[in-house]
Amino acid sequence: MILPPATIGMLGGGQLGRFFAMNARSLGYTVHVIEPDPHSPAAQIADKHIQAAYDDKEALKQLRQSCAVITTEFENIPASVLDYLAEKTLVRPSAASISNAQDRIDEKAFIKSCGLLTVPYGVIRTSSDIATAIEAIEFPCILKTARLGYDGKGQITTNNIEEVRQGFTTLGSIPCVLEQKVNLETEISVILGRKQAGESKCFPVAENIHRDGILFKSIVPANVATHLTEAAQTAAKRMADKLDYVGVLAVEFFITQQGALLVNEIAPRVHNSGHYTLDACITSQFEQQLRMVCDLPFGSTKLLSPVVMINILGDVWKDVESAQPSQPNWQALLSSPQTKLHLYGKAVARTGRKMGHFCVLAKNTKIAEQEAEILFEQL
Ligand code: ADP
Ligand code: MG
C-alpha cells in the first residue's frame, strides 16, 4: 500500500486530473502534475505543476523520481512515455493495458476477443479498403478516425460510398473505422475499479444522453432492464480482467432498439459519466482511482440517492464566441437545495468546451431529471 503523504504523479491537467488531485489531497497525499497549459484545471489544485509537454524527457525524469506511483487522466499518452516512467516507478494503469483503447481498430478487435458485441463495422486503412469495408454494413454509417477522437471529434456521418471516400480524405486519409449507425434505445456506462490482485468493483450503471456526440446528461440508476445493466457490469469486468487492468476503467455501451447490448468504447480512466459519484456515492470515482493505484482497500460504491448530472459547456455563456462572453446566470442553480455545482476553473469559455457540471439529487430520477432540466434552461 502506498500511504499518505506519498507523492502521486498525474499526466494531464484537465478536469479529471483536477478532481483526482482534490480527492488525493483530501486524503493527505501530495500531487505532482505534468501539463503544458500554464492555467489548467488540475495544476490549480496540485502541490506541484511541472509545466511541460507529456513527452518532455526532463519533466518525466523529475516526475518518476518524485512519485511513488503515476497515473493519467486521458488515454492518448504514448506507450513509450509510460514505459519510460515505469522503469523507475509504478505506473497504473500500465501502457500495455491502455494501448487497446488508444486505437478504435485494436479496441474493437479486443472487444470481440472477449466474446462481446460491437456495432457492425469495417476497417479502412487506405482508400483501397473502402469497398470491402462497406460490404458487411448498411448506410448510414459513421466514419471515425482510429486514433485521437473524443467528444464526437474526428467523426463524419456518411450515406453512400462516395461520401465515405470524401470523408476519408477530409479526415486526412488516416486509418479509420466505418461503423454502421445503429438505432439506439439508449446508452449506458459502467465504471469500475480494479486492484492489482485482480478484484474489481463496479459503480452503479449510468444511463447517458448525448447531444452532438458530447455527453449531455447522466441518469443514475439507469432506467434500463436489470439483465442489461448486469450484463454490462459482467462485460466490463471481463475486459478489465483480460487487460489485467489496475485503476479505474469506464466502458460505454449502446442498447439497440432490439434490446442488444453492444460495447461502444473503453476509456482507461475515470469518465465524465461517473461525475455523479462525487455527490451521490460514498466514494467518488476519483477517490476510487486513488485507492486502486495506491492499492488501498476499495471504497464503497453505494449510491446514496438517485441523481441526474448535466454537463455545462461553454455554449451556455452568453456571446460565447465574442471577446468577452458573460457568465451564465448561476442564481437558480445555486439556490436549489438538492443541487451541487462544480466548475473546473477554466478561464475561457468556448463552444463545446466542458466548463463544469451539476448534479441534482432527488427521491427518484424522474424528479431529479425534471429539476435538472429546469435549472439548465435557466442558466
Ligand atoms: P467519442 O470517442 O467522441 O466519445 P463515440 O464513438 O463514443 O466517440 O461517439 C460519441 C457518441 O456518438 C456516442 O455516445 C453515440 O451517442 C453516438 N454514436 C457514435 N457511434 C455511433 C453508432 N455507430 N451508432 C449510433 N450512434 C453512435
Ligand atoms: Mg464515447
Side-chain angles (χ1 to χ4, degrees), residues 104-355:
R104 293 187 196 274
I105 302 170
D106 297 341
E107 183 174 57
K108 285 187 164 28
F110 171 73
I111 293 164
K112 289 197 293 187
S113 78
C114 294
L116 301 166
L117 300 174
T118 67
V119 294
Y121 74 99
V123 172
I124 304 176
R125 292 180 195 276
T126 69
S127 54
S128 62
D129 297 330
I130 292 175
T132 322
I134 64 168
E135 267 168 25
I137 53 184
E138 285 165 25
F139 285 105
C141 292
I142 307 177
L143 185 66
K144 302 182 180 182
T145 58
R147 301 184 78 90
L148 300 177
Y150 70 99
D151 285 346
K153 293 183 173 62
Q155 302 191 8
I156 297 177
T157 300
T158 57
N159 294 293
N160 53 54
I161 187 163
E162 204 34 58
E163 288 180 14
V164 177
R165 288 191 206 288
Q166 278 166 14
F168 185 67
T169 312
T170 307
L171 292 173
S173 303
I174 52 176
C176 286
V177 292
L178 184 68
E179 292 184 7
Q180 185 164 320
K181 189 168 185 188
V182 290
N183 292 323
L184 301 178
E185 181 62 33
T186 190
E187 298 183 61
I188 59 175
S189 57
V190 174
I191 293 167
L192 64 74
R194 187 173 182 278
K195 297 200 6 155
Q196 194 204 355
E199 315 129 85
S200 56
K201 211 179 173 94
C202 295
F203 282 97
V205 174
E207 181 176 356
N208 303 317
I209 287 107
H210 292 78
R211 285 188 181 171
D212 303 324
I214 305 180
L215 182 66
F216 172 62
K217 175 164 70 177
S218 294
I219 302 164
V220 188
N223 183 23
V224 163
T226 313
H227 77 271
L228 289 171
T229 55
E230 285 176 359
Q233 290 182 322
T234 306
K237 282 187 174 177
R238 193 187 301 167
M239 290 191 278
D241 285 342
K242 193 146 182 205
L243 293 169
D244 199 16
Y245 193 87
V246 182
V248 167
L249 176 83
V251 183
E252 299 177 9
F253 294 88
F254 293 149
I255 297 176
T256 66
Q257 288 176 357
Q258 290 73 36
L261 181 73
L262 311 177
V263 181
N264 171 25
E265 61 174 349
I266 304 167
R269 52 171 170 78
V270 287
H271 194 261
N272 193 169
S273 69
H275 286 359
Y276 79 87
T277 60
L278 283 164
D279 300 316
C281 287
I282 292 182
T283 310
S284 73
Q285 60 169 347
F286 306 97
E287 182 180 331
Q288 198 75 309
Q289 181 185 12
L290 175 78
R291 286 170 174 263
M292 299 302 96
V293 304
C294 291
D295 207 23
L296 308 182
F298 284 105
S300 165
T301 55
K302 187 175 158 58
L303 187 69
L304 299 171
S305 163
V307 56
V308 168
M309 189 267 339
I310 289 191
N311 267 341
I312 301 173
L313 303 183
D315 307 49
V316 300
W317 265 245
K318 286 168 199 74
D319 306 315
V320 64
E321 295 304 330
S322 71
Q324 229 127 36
S326 51
Q327 291 263 331
N329 178 7
W330 303 118
Q331 186 65 30
L333 230 167
L334 291 170
S335 307
S336 162
Q338 322 81 278
T339 300
K340 298 279 281 185
L341 173 65
H342 299 265
L343 293 172
Y344 307 152
K346 296 181 184 176
V348 183
R350 276 197 300 269
T351 306
R353 188 174 201 203
K354 290 174 178 166
M355 301 299 289

Side-chain angles (χ1 to χ4, degrees), residues 4 19-31 45 287 290:
F19 286 119
F20 178 85
M22 285 175 165
N23 279 257
R25 292 198 67 170
S26 73
L27 266 169
Y29 289 91
T30 309
V31 181
I45 305 295
E287 182 180 331
L290 175 78

